[in-house]
Amino acid sequence: MPSPVTLTGEAFSRAQFESLLKRRFFFTESFEIYRTAPNFKGDNRGLYDYGPPGCGLLANIVNEWRRHFVIEENMLEVDCTAITPEAVLKTSGHVDRFADWMCKDPVKGEHLRADHLVETVLETRLANSRLAVGDGKSKLDRLDVATVQRYEDILAKIDNYDGPELGKLIRELDIRNPNGNGVVEEPVAFNLMFKSTIGPSSASPVYFRPETAQGQFLNFRKLLDYCQGSMPFASACIGKSYRNEISPRSGLLRVREFLMAEIEHFVDPESNKSHERFGEVAEMELPLLDRKTQLSGKTAITPMRIGKAVETKLVDNETLGYFLARVYLFLLKIGVDAKKLRFRQHLDNEMAHYACDCWDAELLTSYGWIECVGCADRSAYDLTVHSRETGAPLTVKEARATPLEITEWTATLEKKLVGPRFKKDAKIIEQAVGQLGQDDLARLAAELAKNAVITISTDKLANGANSAELSSDICSIKQVTRVENTREYTPNVIEPSFGIGRILYSVLEHVYWCRPQDAAREVLSLPILVAPTKVLLVPLSNHAGFKPAVKSLAARLRALGIANIVDSSSVSIGKRYARNDELGTPLGITVDFDTLKDGTITLRERDSTVQVRASEDDIMDATRNLLSGMETWKQVSERLPAFTRQSVDE
Amino acid sequence: MPSPVTLTGEAFSRAQFESLLKRRFFFTESFEIYRTAPNFKGDNRGLYDYGPPGCGLLANIVNEWRRHFVIEENMLEVDCTAITPEAVLKTSGHVDRFADWMCKDPVKGEHLRADHLVETVLETRLANSRLAVGDGKSKLDRLDVATVQRYEDILAKIDNYDGPELGKLIRELDIRNPNGNGVVEEPVAFNLMFKSTIGPSSASPVYFRPETAQGQFLNFRKLLDYCQGSMPFASACIGKSYRNEISPRSGLLRVREFLMAEIEHFVDPESNKSHERFGEVAEMELPLLDRKTQLSGKTAITPMRIGKAVETKLVDNETLGYFLARVYLFLLKIGVDAKKLRFRQHLDNEMAHYACDCWDAELLTSYGWIECVGCADRSAYDLTVHSRETGAPLTVKEARATPLEITEWTATLEKKLVGPRFKKDAKIIEQAVGQLGQDDLARLAAELAKNAVITISTDKLANGANSAELSSDICSIKQVTRVENTREYTPNVIEPSFGIGRILYSVLEHVYWCRPQDAAREVLSLPILVAPTKVLLVPLSNHAGFKPAVKSLAARLRALGIANIVDSSSVSIGKRYARNDELGTPLGITVDFDTLKDGTITLRERDSTVQVRASEDDIMDATRNLLSGMETWKQVSERLPAFTRQSVDE
């Protein structure tokens, strides 16, 4: 794992970073006062609440997602319930297969996720071995070269083992619960969905959805009607999903309740999955890590034009390629560091049960590369299984541009004669004729023409025979041509699926740095687009004369819908700026004694700490332009007079 | 119940209205294809999915809520998990008291909500009695005047009966299950929360929250720190809540999963709950229905200045009054018809277990008056119980402007002598002294000064006695003065709580009407602020020359973040307009042959169907102004040239 660095290339201290997030209430463990209460029992890890700055950031990321994807592409957004009847998730495969492998330690009564157990124990052994070599500790810890190699191999493929394979590893390598060294039981599948019952009778089992996708699939027909049957189209859903993780860890990265944003793009499988707007992104270069590179044990990222990737079939089709490019643009826009972003292709055995190709957008954090957006081709899997189960036609019927002529051999029986001649056997004979294939019919047609009689195989007849003779008076076989004016097909689905919490956490790591002159002065360089608060308003001091100006500026910003915060606390103005740098507030407006004289105010930019001074109207215009992206800070700072009074910023 | 009318005063047909909502996919029953599938069993009523227009409307209402409340008042928004440990909801009272009364019909195996059962049966009897009078039907159905009066009395108070009372009514009035006429069992309490377990061991019970409030209370300390201890302040949370209703009904109005938006305004109980900005709303006149009027059996609405309502203590305090006014403004802004809005004060026995005063904003729909926003004063209930349970100090510590001097009688024991003299009894003696109140101490001080010895009551001592003598060498009692510089208190909470789904449904009813010339031409006059799509783009026909203009207009609107939709289908332009009137799309832009000549386009307003014609730039400016509220349609239509070609709109 590469060692993490901050935005400015310094070593990244996760402890310091997490202390900032906690101190400024970006998020917190849910029910924290209960967890520390003396009588509280129970497992409530993996649940997090967002505080005001985290919540503001979250809302802004979601709004930008909606603008970038839903509005930009006229996607059909839906909002489906999290509560889902068991029957739906039985059909989708989640009841049977949405599980992790879990081992029980019968002595401690602990449940351990099997792959995490193997991972932890082998990593510890490798670390101890390295230490043993280094400082001459107990030779018992030293592993031979072959063992080291084997452990590293296992760790590289840890996501790919199933339960029995993990069980075998655990026995072979004598892997035990690190807490107490107890022998663990065989891995069993543990379903990750939260189960409950609905209604007063307890007889109706439901689950809280593990993904938002199913609601979109079930509404496919209504969505198709809504867009007047025009294919391709995409639906989208933003909402909470729930997964009862066996052992939540890594803070916001593996949690039990989380916000997802998912797109289901429905496309005709016979269209090559081409995309109308692919040309707009074809020249973009994306950081790709393909399957082949991974199988050769490497992790090198190849920058490649997405146009070329699709041409060479590395990325399967234009629609998938288009979404990879759009995801890339979205992530950069909300603050992801391009150097810490890659698209990794799934290995064959790593894909979900429904997927036929998948690329993950992964973001590099201090926890390693984290899957934040999955872009999967789910083929026709979901629509097919739900349609089969319910009888609802989740298909597209399309007028054919040129009607399709289909010429087929067709056998016709003279009904009036069949009954009298075959009596009780009539039904069996009719069935046997109905089941004849095209090849058989072609052969029998020739035979009938030649001999005026044919013999066909049947189920057992009244006389015990397994065949019957049909003469040409009772049976005719001809080629018939029919015209199909419509075509019916089940669309394929390309699904970009976003874990918003993971993206939010990764962005925070990516935009974090400390001012070189003082490591305690931390900054979150959040893009203005997603920063929770856009403008900090500060009076120079608690001089009563500043209050009216601050109040009227706050009202003016509110009227423009610009989130702002007033800090009139008694600490120095430099400290108040620093406090808001920690919250990622990009702009600061100061009211000082000159404001009272000439009505001018100053505008400060967070990253550079540079300030300009101008009239209230000019500063408001500049603020609006910076927010809408019509001007950059560089343009503003060149256009408006600089302000450099020393006393203000330190 | 007043008979419902549309926006234009015509009779309201719920069947026609609901058919529109279904046809245009505002919302649908969730899992509809499963409900109609042959093998599907289970109770999955009360769950709804929002389709694209419903979802767009929902998102716009939520955004406006955030702007109107959170940004306008600098509220601290949080996003807390729905999953909640049992311990939290045990403390809050929900595990024990958040229940409805339910009767089982043992023959049919049905579970009926007891109050609904009584209501349905009595309403049917009253209706039958009226019919019996009218058309001379069976005299058996006729009720005497006293019985009619009694039934109507019961129905008026139906929300106020508890389980045993409902059971008594059911027995007395021989109320049975209308389905099969079976006798039902005694009402039992049915808890309305969805229960599950978290973690792999099944030993940790959790519930899905029935309200968002608890997460806000538990984070109180962090929120107080976040705003640097300044009181009063408000937090806010928007999110899904879950209630396992016994018998969901009335479409979106009583569902099992729903979006809430809740504000918890924390205020010093000794501040009179005054509000800094109350002056801004004091002159507003609100439609109030107070407790006294209701108890006198009336439902007349009194319009009253909120300033007067607070002065006269009809509304308990300024903060509650301020929120009623702000709620009023919000509801009107998103499309509520002022004539169908009232604030109803809760009766004493109707309030939730935590509330000490409550006003509901109720909206009139075809289902009657519906509670859509509850404004409750929850007093210090929640913070107090959670603090007691966890030991976390959910309090405010405040420096006192003038330190408080407290003079108290204090007894001191000479520790060195107590042990030797009282031996095993020492502890009991110390406890007894520690428990003496101020009055006792004053009396004993006088006694000690007079007699140099006092007698105090104690628990049983070693010698069997229940009192002991203390002489002045071992005990002294003096008045001691201490100075308190800080004050510690538990804030009270004023809670405006919004049911977003109910509001959305009511708004849709309020803005619905049909064009007088054709009852089949339905319109949803949604305010532009919340309309899901702002602009409909239509080419006059499918003439190829129109395409580039439409495409570039769509891109231009997208770049401005304006949700738009292109309708190039082959039906007449009048039909396409009508289709989008049904979706509430306020503006329509048409590209026609003149566009190709001079670049002008037309802009149509939904409600009046009036059109203007101008250059693309002028129409874009007008669109932006209409959206931001800077211009009204009246202003635009007077400023820009009218367009009246007959062929377009019909």
Side-chain angles (χ1 to χ4, degrees), chain A residues 3-4 30 125 237 246 249 257 276 302 347 391 400 404 417 448 553 563 583 587 593 610 648:
Chain A
S3 52
S30 308
R125 289 186 191 170
C237 185
I246 296 167
R249 55 183 193 178
E257 172 171 344
E276 199 184 6
T302 315
L347 304 182
R400 291 185 183 276
L404 187 67
L417 300 179
L448 196 62
L553 277 166
L583 292 172
L587 299 172
F593 290 104
V610 165
V648 168

Side-chain angles (χ1 to χ4, degrees), chain A residues 31, chain B residues 81-85 88-90 92-95 97-99 191-195 206-215 239-245 255-262 353-354 378 495 497-499:
Chain A
F31 322 110
Chain B
T81 57
I83 295 178
T84 311
V88 172
L89 294 161
K90 182 82 187 160
S92 68
H94 287 86
V95 172
R97 288 193 295 266
F98 195 70
N191 193 292
L192 297 180
M193 294 192 294
F194 285 98
K195 191 170 188 171
V206 290
Y207 295 93
F208 285 77
R209 68 178 173 205
E211 57 171 18
T212 72
Q214 298 304 322
K240 290 277 177 76
S241 292
Y242 300 87
R243 295 183 187 177
N244 193 8
E245 297 285 350
V255 295
R256 286 167 166 167
E257 172 170 345
F258 52 98
L259 189 67
M260 292 184 101
E262 293 191 301
H353 59 266
Y354 46 73
R378 292 176 82 132
E495 175 193 80
S497 167
F498 297 69

